[in-house]
Amino acid sequence: MFQRLLSLFKPEKYHTKMTQFIQFGLVGFSGLVLDTCTVYLLRHIIGLTASTLLAYFIAATSNWLINRLWTFRGAGKKKKYINQWLTFLITNIFGFCLNRGSVLILFYFSPTCVAHPIIALVIGAAAGMFANFNLSRKLVYR
C-alpha cells in the first residue's frame, strides 16, 4: 500500500522541479547582487527610481542567460536567443510588478530603504521569485 501511495506522488517529478527551483534561486541571488551593485553605482547619477528600473533589466537579462545555460539547460533551445529573452521579459511582467512594486513602495514609505536600497531590493526579489519561477518554467524554458 505504501508503494502505491508513494507512486502517486512521483518523487522524481518533484526532484527535478525542486532542483530547478534551487538553481533558479541561486541564479536569482546572483541577479540580486548584480541588481544591487547597479543601483548603488547609478543612484547618484540617474536617481534612485531610474537606477532601480534599469538595474532590473540588467539583472533579468543576466538571470535569463544563466537560467538558459544552467537551470533549464536543454529546454527551450529551439527558440532563438532574442525571442526567448523577449518571452522571458514579457512572461515575467507579473514578477516585475511584484518585485519593483514592492521596492518602489518601500522607497516611498521608508526612509531607511532609501538610505539602504538593498533592504527593499531583497524584499522585492523575494516577492517576485515564485511567480517568475513558475512562469519561466511553464512558458519560457519548455
Side-chain angles (χ1 to χ4, degrees):
M1 182 169 163
F2 180 72
Q3 286 294 352
R4 185 167 186 204
L5 185 60
L6 187 60
S7 71
L8 293 174
F9 292 106
K10 299 184 179 166
E12 64 279 350
K13 174 184 173 187
Y14 296 107
H15 179 268
T16 299
K17 189 173 183 178
M18 184 57 76
T19 300
Q20 287 177 337
F21 181 74
I22 291 167
Q23 289 175 314
F24 193 85
L26 291 171
V27 172
F29 181 75
S30 76
L32 176 62
V33 170
L34 182 58
D35 188 10
T36 302
C37 290
T38 303
V39 169
Y40 276 82
L41 279 170
L42 297 178
R43 70 182 174 158
H44 296 297
I45 299 168
I46 63 174
L48 187 57
T49 301
S51 65
T52 299
L53 295 174
L54 179 62
Y56 178 87
F57 290 103
I58 292 170
T61 298
S62 171
N63 287 0
W64 160 75
L65 184 59
I66 297 168
N67 278 318
R68 177 184 169 100
L69 298 174
W70 183 47
T71 308
F72 301 104
R73 85 179 139 263
K77 290 284 187 178
K78 294 176 185 169
K79 288 185 179 179
K80 293 182 179 179
Y81 278 93
I82 190 74
N83 292 343
Q84 189 180 52
W85 175 71
L86 289 171
T87 302
F88 180 81
L89 291 179
I90 291 167
T91 300
N92 288 297
I93 285 176
F94 180 66
F96 168 80
C97 290
L98 289 171
N99 182 319
R100 291 307 146 161
S102 299
V103 170
L104 294 175
I105 287 169
L106 287 167
F107 286 165
Y108 184 77
F109 288 108
S110 172
T112 301
C113 288
V114 171
H116 307 284
I118 190 167
I119 297 167
L121 294 170
V122 168
I123 292 169
M129 182 177 174
F130 293 102
N132 285 345
F133 173 71
N134 286 311
L135 291 170
S136 293
R137 189 170 188 275
K138 292 177 181 172
L139 300 174
V140 180
Y141 303 105
R142 54 186 170 100

